[in-house]
Amino acid sequence: MATSDRDGTGPRRRWAELRFSIVGPLLASPPSRGELRGRLEELAAVTYRHPTTGEAVRFGVSTLERWFYLSKKSEQPIAALERKVHPLAGSHPGVSEALARALRTQYRDHPRWSYLLHHENLLALAAEDAALGRVPSYPTIVRFMKANGLVKRRRKRRDVDLPGGPRERRSFEVEHVSGLWHFDFHEGRRKVLLPSGDRKKPLLLGIIDDRSRLCCHLQWYLAETAECLVHGLSQAFQKRGLPRAVLSDNGAAMLAAETQAGFKDLSVLHFTTLAETPEQNGKQESFWGQLEGRLMAMLEGEAELTLGLLNEATQAWVELDYNRRQHSVTKEPPLERFLRGPSVARAAPSSQELRRAFRLKTTRAQRRSDGTLTAQGKRFELPSRYRTLRRVTIRYARWDLSTVDLIDPRSEKFLCALYPID
């Protein structure tokens, strides 16, 4: 167990106290001439507790001898045994004045950018302007920004009081690729230009594999509907295969009859989060922060941002940057971790099978006079061979009434397609 800093002492002071506790008895009872070596060897054989990590540690005779003479020659032994502060500590010699000015200007214009995005844009500026000089490493830039108060600004969130008091929160990760997918909609902060000349905030559907953190599909829409959700899920299935389970919130699109019927037909378990607990889908929420901090930040200068351009930039970013960049938690690129497995993914069905899966099921009475039925205000004609059926079972999607599927109510098998009366 790591040592705590609650007592107010830092690692430098704790190391000095440990060193003094080891060699202090030699100062209190100085060894006779010729006995020092033996006493040091005895101390070197003892196991001590690391002052930072708490692990077992030993020290060599030469190290103990050096500590002994340092403390013996000093009036303040503990201070003498402390590690000396580097003369450049607290300064940032790698950040030139020109680079510091450019960084402050960049921060003033984009205070919500991440440290990584600031560093990458500094590299791009230095490549165009040689006067900025060499850009130091990413950790140096982070230390400089924090020391100068250039911290990332965050938007305030409204706290919600949960019924029943606070709930226990634990992180989790499934053991297999495609064992669990997360999906959710996210409202963009920028508006897109519509063909009508109006502007509207788009909604982003994101689908992420839990184990690998791979973004299976990412696409912007103008509404959060079941039609858009099914369109995005179908693309994710055909690109990455069928998962075993999915996790989402309780949005209307997620609980729509077409969506639920599709998951059941495809044998995909659908779990939903508790109300007012977005942290249950935390991997998805964390992904939105990366998207806003990197992709949307890079599109700030695009005045005429259309839905098509936004989707094109999004696909390029997710496939060429996010999925191939090392993840901060897994320490692997999501694409490599996804391909490495182990995987429980299944082969995706055809486009036609996916369209038929995401359709609600209901029954309708057949009109004896003309052999038709009504669905969503439209009339569909049954083939003459089914005229003897009083009630029929059909499946359809409310957003696509170009055809209705007639199915066997017992076996759920597709019988034929019904078309609207011309």
Side-chain angles (χ1 to χ4, degrees):
M1 182 181 296
T3 305
S4 172
D5 282 342
R6 291 181 182 177
D7 57 358
T9 60
R12 290 176 55 253
R13 184 70 176 183
R14 291 199 303 271
W15 268 107
E17 292 173 354
L18 172 64
R19 292 163 182 161
F20 182 71
S21 68
I22 297 173
V23 299
L26 298 179
L27 300 177
S29 178
S32 303
R33 188 178 187 87
E35 295 181 357
L36 178 61
R37 180 73 182 185
R39 297 279 295 275
L40 293 175
E41 289 177 350
E42 293 176 2
L43 294 176
V46 178
T47 300
Y48 303 95
R49 186 178 181 185
H50 195 287
T52 302
T53 65
E55 298 176 352
V57 63
R58 290 184 178 182
F59 304 101
V61 173
S62 59
T63 301
L64 298 176
E65 184 179 15
R66 176 168 53 85
W67 294 349
F68 170 71
Y69 283 114
L70 280 174
S71 57
K72 183 179 180 180
K73 296 177 181 178
S74 175
E75 296 293 332
Q76 298 293 334
I78 292 181
L81 292 172
E82 282 189 8
R83 188 178 60 184
K84 301 301 181 288
V85 179
H86 195 279
L88 295 179
S91 63
H92 305 277
V95 182
S96 63
E97 288 296 329
L99 201 61
R101 286 194 299 271
L103 184 55
R104 289 190 175 93
T105 301
Q106 185 172 273
Y107 175 80
R108 185 177 64 249
D109 297 336
H110 310 284
R112 291 189 175 90
W113 278 12
S114 64
Y115 297 125
L116 181 59
L117 190 57
H118 276 294
H119 181 253
E120 290 177 345
N121 277 269
L122 279 180
L123 292 173
L125 289 175
E128 298 176 357
D129 187 1
L132 294 178
R134 185 185 67 84
V135 178
S137 64
Y138 169 68
T140 301
I141 292 296
V142 173
R143 288 195 298 269
F144 175 83
M145 294 184 68
K146 290 181 177 180
N148 289 271
L150 308 179
V151 295
K152 180 181 178 181
R153 295 183 186 175
R154 301 183 183 274
R155 286 181 169 85
K156 294 183 178 180
R157 295 183 178 179
R158 181 177 62 87
D159 292 331
V160 179
D161 294 329
L162 299 177
R167 295 173 178 152
E168 183 182 18
R169 294 172 174 85
R170 294 186 180 183
S171 59
F172 66 92
E173 180 181 280
V174 298
E175 297 179 353
H176 296 84
V177 169
S178 293
L180 178 67
W181 284 7
H182 304 258
F183 67 90
D184 195 10
F185 279 94
H186 169 71
E187 184 182 53
R189 296 175 183 172
R190 287 199 58 190
K191 294 183 177 181
V192 295
L193 181 64
L194 304 180
S196 62
D198 298 327
R199 293 183 181 273
K200 185 177 181 179
K201 281 188 176 182
L203 291 139
L204 177 64
L205 171 63
I207 305 169
I208 297 177
D209 176 63
D210 183 87
R211 175 172 173 78
S212 65
R213 311 304 201 271
L214 179 83
C215 184
C216 303
H217 186 64
L218 202 61
Q219 187 165 348
W220 294 89
Y221 298 93
L222 294 177
E224 183 179 344
T225 63
E227 178 183 6
C228 297
L229 175 59
V230 168
H231 179 265
L233 284 171
S234 299
Q235 293 186 78
F237 292 159
Q238 292 187 311
K239 287 197 292 186
R240 315 294 183 186
L242 285 178
R244 296 293 177 173
V246 292
L247 176 66
S248 71
D249 59 19
N250 294 274
M254 289 69 168
L255 302 181
E258 292 89 345
T259 307
Q260 295 299 310
F263 287 144
K264 291 177 181 178
D265 274 20
L266 299 172
S267 300
V268 176
L269 294 172
H270 181 209
F271 301 104
T272 57
T273 61
L274 297 175
E276 305 292 352
T277 53
E279 62 272 11
Q280 283 193 288
N281 213 357
K283 297 181 179 70
Q284 193 81 52
E285 300 299 327
S286 176
F287 177 76
W288 300 143
Q290 295 185 55
L291 180 130
E292 292 288 352
R294 292 181 59 79
L295 172 65
M296 300 309 294
M298 290 186 287
L299 294 174
E300 287 180 350
E302 188 64 41
E304 306 299 328
L305 185 62
T306 63
L307 187 65
L309 177 60
L310 180 57
N311 269 319
E312 185 177 351
T314 300
Q315 290 301 315
W317 173 76
V318 73
E319 296 295 345
L320 301 178
D321 182 65
Y322 171 79
N323 281 344
R324 300 173 187 271
R325 179 189 293 272
Q326 178 173 298
H327 196 275
S328 60
V329 176
T330 64
K331 306 303 180 184
E332 292 181 77
L335 183 58
E336 291 184 10
R337 189 174 174 88
F338 183 87
L339 295 175
R340 183 170 58 83
S343 175
V344 292
R346 296 166 290 156
S350 65
S351 299
Q352 183 62 29
E353 290 174 320
L354 285 172
R355 279 194 293 270
R356 285 177 177 166
F358 287 100
R359 294 186 173 190
L360 63 86
K361 183 175 73 170
T362 186
T363 60
R364 288 290 186 271
Q366 180 179 185
R367 291 164 57 103
R368 293 289 186 181
S369 58
D370 56 2
T372 62
L373 58 86
T374 303
Q376 295 295 115
K378 279 191 174 185
R379 292 174 64 184
F380 296 82
E381 185 175 10
L382 275 79
S384 58
R385 62 182 178 274
Y386 298 113
R387 290 289 177 88
T388 58
L389 300 176
R390 295 185 58 186
R391 297 191 67 83
V392 295
T393 305
I394 61 174
R395 295 188 64 172
Y396 65 92
R398 282 168 286 190
W399 58 83
D400 180 16
L401 294 174
S402 59
T403 62
V404 165
D405 293 342
L406 180 66
I407 64 172
D408 186 329
R410 288 168 293 186
S411 65
E412 301 283 336
K413 288 185 178 180
F414 170 78
L415 298 176
C416 68
L418 307 182
Y419 297 90
I421 292 180
D422 188 354

